[in-house]
């Protein structure tokens, strides 16, 4: 997915939650991304944050610590 599209999607989620109380909004953004974004999207999300990608809504950035990180895949066992 293009970085612009991912930022746009994250910001759309934040826009919806802006009408909620702040703490509920932060938790809502994180919960939505945790529930509906596949691991590849979350990995790209964290890569964009790490690279300093501009354009994320502040609510998205505040929710980021509560979003599940993607663990590295475990290597396949050797055939017996």
């Amino acid at each position: 997915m293009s970085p612009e599209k991912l930022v746009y999607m994250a910001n759309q989620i934040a826009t919806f939650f802006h009408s909620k109380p702040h703490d509920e909004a932060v938790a809502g953004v994180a919960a939505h991304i945790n529930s509906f974004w596949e691991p590849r999207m979350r990995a790209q999300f964290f890569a964009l944050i790490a690279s300093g990608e501009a354009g994320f809504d502040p609510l998205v950035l505040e929710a980021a610590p509560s979003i599940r990180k993607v663990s590295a895949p475990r290597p396949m066992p050797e055939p017996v």
Side-chain angles (χ1 to χ4, degrees):
M1 173 177 306
S2 75
E4 296 81 15
K5 175 73 173 177
L6 193 126
V7 170
Y8 176 78
M9 289 173 61
N11 289 346
Q12 281 186 306
I13 296 165
T15 298
F16 172 81
F17 283 103
H18 273 293
S19 63
K20 307 284 185 187
H22 185 74
D23 290 344
E24 186 180 335
V26 172
V29 170
H32 183 90
I33 291 174
N34 283 330
S35 294
F36 298 107
W37 284 24
E38 67 171 9
R40 290 179 295 177
M41 291 172 71
R42 286 184 282 120
Q44 185 179 8
F45 170 76
F46 286 113
L48 289 170
I49 289 175
S51 73
E53 177 70 29
F56 281 115
D57 185 289
L59 199 56
V60 173
L61 296 174
E62 196 169 342
S66 298
I67 296 170
R68 283 192 312 273
K69 304 280 190 284
V70 179
S71 58
R74 293 189 302 213
M76 295 292 290
E78 293 294 321
V80 181

